[in-house]
Amino acid sequence: MFYEELSHPIFKLVSEESQKLGFETFVVGGFVRDLFLKRDSKDLDFVTVGSGIELASAVKNRIKGAHLNVFKNFGTAQIKTDDWEFEFVGARKESYDRNSRKPKVEDGTFEDDIHRRDFTINTLAISLNKANYGELIDTFEGISDLNNGIIRTPLEPKVTFSDDPLRMMRAVRFATQLNFKIEETTLAALKSEATRLSIISQERITDELQKIIKSKKPSIGFSILFDTKLLHEFFPEMVRLQGVEIREGKGHKDNFYHTLQVLDQACSRTNDLWVRWAAILHDIAKPPTKRFLKGEGWTFHGHEDKGSRMIKPIFTRLKLPLGEPMRRVRNLVKLHLRPIALTKDHITDSAVRRLIFDAGEDLEDLLILCKSDITTKNKKKEERFQANLVNVEENIAAVEERDRIRNWQPPIDGAEIMKLFGIGPSREIGQIKTALKDAILDGVITNNYNDAHKFVIEKGKQLGLQQQ
Ligand code: ATP
Ligand code: MG
């Protein structure tokens, strides 16, 4: 039936080797789903009623240059060729214990194997057996759910989620990636079983979360995570962004939904995962810095600094990488108001030079974040804000062209200053270094060695130092 779809030579090979071994074998899961969705997929899962490892070894022997990995403990084997990954597993039956997502596993029939799968759209299988080669086996009306864009568990959803709570994150992830709706009783079970997420390791939760963030419109996923209270299980800081308080007739925007809009807008501008994270986190310190000032209304003074200090604890808890990605996110959060501030007054070259210096490598990403941070519903205002940022961008380009501030270091460094005055590391040396940097950034002196040298000698004199 789907014979022509199975154009890759692997299918015939697997079919022949399976028959020789007297097994029954099927292509299952994500590959079959993606075949119908016309999504490109390079992972292929084969289920065999027999030994997955034996079948994989036999297949491997017929592919030149293929590499076989055997996972004895799991009874699975994997073949890697060029860009494909073929996974072989024996059909299994699973039974769960309440305190773990690891089931007791025993050999099972093809039907057992299909019944243990998470969503109807993931239960689809194609036979590779001689009698019905290429025939689609759709046990739970997966095709109908695919056509209608529905995520639904094949069995009772509460049991499905309680057995392996990671499936709840997977449900949200598929709903986001595919832009599908979660069927009503499945959604109700997400709400009732949300706290079961506590038995899942943070690494696995974060892995699914990253897939949501990498998708085209992550707000779909975050809205579901929030509504089902799954988000409350692992990201309380983000939950706290939600809500509007009104005092003396003055409100403020709902920072959760604002953040989701900023995130989607950032996603339409960049695929960079960490800029997307900066969008998620840019206002994260608004709740803890929120104050109501009489006559003035709501303020979130210093939320960019406090926010940047919240990044490390959040990254640590979510098991996100603490090196360069965290540094970038922290810098973007810290600086996210700076380009906007430039648009308010008339722009001085000095302020532009400081921004270029402080943002360094992150300048383009910062501008992406700032443009995405505009969420006013007033079309006129939106156009004006965007135009202001474009103006800032042009100013930056002009100053950059002239002064080459980016990745810049002052023409005289600390070691040279110490040598000039014949003293070691000290407060005075620090003061001279800072004064020199400021003088150049503020345009007091030009960025060249001679002017810097003169400035340093003068500054040293003021501090009572003697030139050597
Ligand atoms: P993708 O590869 O895009 O992440 P996928 O559906 O292929 O999606 P995999 O993790 O590769 O996801 O799993 C392959 C198949 O195994 C799934 O289609 C599903 O049938 C089954 N599966 C995976 N994880 C689970 C789970 N936690 N519970 C039940 N079945 C699962
Ligand atoms: Mg897969």
Side-chain angles (χ1 to χ4, degrees), residues 189-429:
L190 285 178
K191 292 181 185 164
S192 73
E193 304 309 307
T195 59
R196 290 283 291 152
L197 204 60
S198 59
I199 67 162
I200 302 296
S201 76
Q202 186 57 53
E203 286 83 350
R204 284 183 189 278
I205 295 173
T206 296
D207 198 42
E208 293 298 329
L209 187 66
Q210 296 282 56
K211 289 182 184 170
I212 292 172
I213 298 170
K214 281 180 196 159
S215 70
K216 223 166 144 186
K217 203 176 167 206
S219 65
I220 298 174
F222 277 102
S223 298
I224 304 171
L225 289 173
F226 180 82
D227 293 342
T228 55
K229 296 205 162 73
L230 281 161
L231 194 64
H232 302 50
E233 292 297 309
F234 61 90
F235 207 166
E237 298 89 343
M238 194 173 177
V239 172
R240 272 179 227 127
L241 289 170
Q242 193 271 337
V244 177
E245 205 175 326
I246 295 174
R247 242 192 252 181
E248 297 176 7
K250 286 187 175 151
H252 56 77
K253 63 184 162 207
D254 182 310
N255 288 304
F256 181 74
Y257 294 102
H258 163 71
T259 293
L260 294 194
Q261 198 185 335
V262 176
L263 173 58
D264 282 350
Q265 290 179 170
C267 291
S268 68
R269 292 189 161 91
T270 179
N271 289 326
D272 188 306
L273 181 60
W274 306 109
V275 179
R276 292 175 173 209
W277 265 105
I280 294 168
L281 292 166
H282 77 289
D283 277 346
I284 201 69
K286 275 199 168 174
T289 57
K290 182 165 114 173
R291 298 280 176 276
F292 187 82
L293 299 182
K294 279 231 170 295
E296 222 180 289
W298 295 103
T299 66
F300 303 89
H301 193 70
H303 75 272
E304 70 285 14
D305 276 323
K306 188 168 178 70
S308 72
R309 279 181 272 117
M310 288 169 72
I311 305 305
K312 189 168 184 190
I314 290 174
F315 265 53
T316 306
R317 197 188 66 236
L318 294 182
K319 304 271 194 267
L320 291 167
L322 299 180
E324 182 62 10
M326 183 180 75
R327 187 205 61 71
R328 289 177 61 209
V329 172
R330 200 161 45 189
N331 205 28
L332 292 171
V333 172
K334 191 179 166 74
L335 299 176
H336 82 270
L337 298 176
R338 290 275 294 277
I340 309 279
L342 282 184
T343 64
K344 288 207 171 125
D345 317 303
H346 73 288
I347 307 178
T348 64
D349 281 3
S350 147
V352 173
R353 273 196 293 269
R354 279 190 180 277
L355 180 61
I356 297 174
F357 183 76
D358 291 340
E361 294 289 322
D362 305 320
L363 190 58
E364 278 81 15
D365 295 339
L366 182 62
L367 286 160
I368 290 175
L369 178 59
C370 288
K371 288 178 189 167
S372 309
D373 197 7
I374 298 170
T375 60
T376 174
K377 287 195 190 73
N378 180 329
K379 263 266 154 268
K380 281 245 151 54
K381 261 195 192 171
E382 140 115 54
E383 276 166 23
R384 198 172 71 236
F385 292 165
Q386 292 290 1
N388 280 341
L389 279 173
V390 170
N391 189 23
V392 169
E393 216 165 12
E394 285 165 5
N395 265 284
I396 288 173
V399 171
E400 175 66 2
E401 166 101 88
R402 210 172 53 227
D403 300 353
R404 311 225 167 269
I405 291 299
R406 187 145 11 164
N407 302 324
W408 164 82
Q409 289 303 321
I412 297 184
D413 66 4
E416 190 171 350
I417 301 172
M418 287 190 271
K419 219 163 124 203
L420 272 171
F421 296 108
I423 61 169
S426 55
R427 195 162 52 91
E428 285 82 359
I429 298 299

Side-chain angles (χ1 to χ4, degrees), residues 30-31 33 41 43 45:
F31 178 83
R33 178 198 68 218
S41 166
D43 287 4
D45 295 297

Side-chain angles (χ1 to χ4, degrees), residues 36-98:
F36 282 92
L37 292 173
K38 304 202 175 353
R39 284 169 100 220
D40 202 32
S41 166
K42 298 276 181 212
D43 287 4
L44 249 166
D45 295 297
F46 297 102
V47 161
T48 187
V49 187
S51 159
I53 297 176
E54 266 180 59
L55 178 60
S57 318
V59 171
K60 185 240 157 194
N61 289 336
R62 291 190 51 191
I63 308 176
K64 259 200 224 118
H67 191 78
L68 181 71
N69 283 314
V70 174
F71 306 94
K72 270 227 169 77
N73 295 343
F74 297 99
T76 66
Q78 189 188 56
I79 298 176
K80 283 194 184 179
T81 66
D82 315 325
D83 44 353
W84 286 81
E85 251 182 62
F86 307 118
E87 186 93 28
F88 295 80
V89 58
R92 56 172 67 175
K93 191 178 170 144
E94 294 178 344
S95 49
Y96 284 84
D97 157 12
R98 192 150 170 91

